[in-house]
Amino acid sequence: MSELIEKTLENGGRYFVSPQLSICPGLGHGFFTREGGVSKGIFESLNFRYTGGDDEKDIAENYRIAAEAIGGRYDDIVRTCQLHTDTIEVITSREGGFRQVGTWTP
């Protein structure tokens, strides 16, 4: 298995891409660190979590920064709810907008 490739955001933050996923046409992806965002205080810097009290405008800007880094736009992002199951969500269209895929129940 190949190692992840480190990339740098324009503002100096870091993220990583997978060589295996990079061969898929049209699939932008990245594994982002907390570096390179605009959130402040306890949420500093690249916070993507809408629950917890961070400013929603800062979170949206963080997503814009990440989307731009992988060649997309904020409206291209599909948020997933990571569950450790054998269920796979397949995205088949670019409807635009910001949507949640999958559900989580405690």
Side-chain angles (χ1 to χ4, degrees):
M1 180 187 244
S2 299
E3 297 290 323
L4 294 175
I5 299 167
E6 184 174 339
K7 301 279 189 168
T8 305
L9 296 170
E10 286 184 20
N11 61 9
R14 297 177 309 139
Y15 69 103
F16 299 84
V17 296
S18 163
Q20 290 88 355
L21 294 176
S22 295
I23 64 172
C24 300
L27 174 66
H29 74 284
F31 302 95
F32 290 83
T33 68
R34 293 289 303 260
E35 303 168 358
V38 300
S39 293
K40 300 159 199 68
I42 63 171
F43 304 104
E44 189 174 337
S45 152
L46 192 65
N47 177 43
F48 294 130
R49 186 172 173 226
Y50 275 103
T51 57
D54 194 4
D55 185 298
E56 289 192 10
K57 291 179 183 176
D58 287 349
I59 299 166
E61 177 63 10
N62 290 337
Y63 274 110
R64 188 203 61 75
I65 290 168
E68 189 174 280
I70 61 175
R73 301 167 305 145
Y74 176 85
D75 287 344
D76 294 330
I77 295 173
V78 176
R79 290 184 63 205
T80 62
C81 183
Q82 182 176 349
L83 303 174
H84 296 280
T85 70
D86 60 356
T87 302
I88 298 171
E89 295 281 349
V90 178
I91 309 302
T92 59
S93 65
R94 291 181 76 165
E95 298 170 7
F98 195 75
R99 62 196 185 275
Q100 180 87 18
V101 175
T103 57
W104 179 79
T105 51

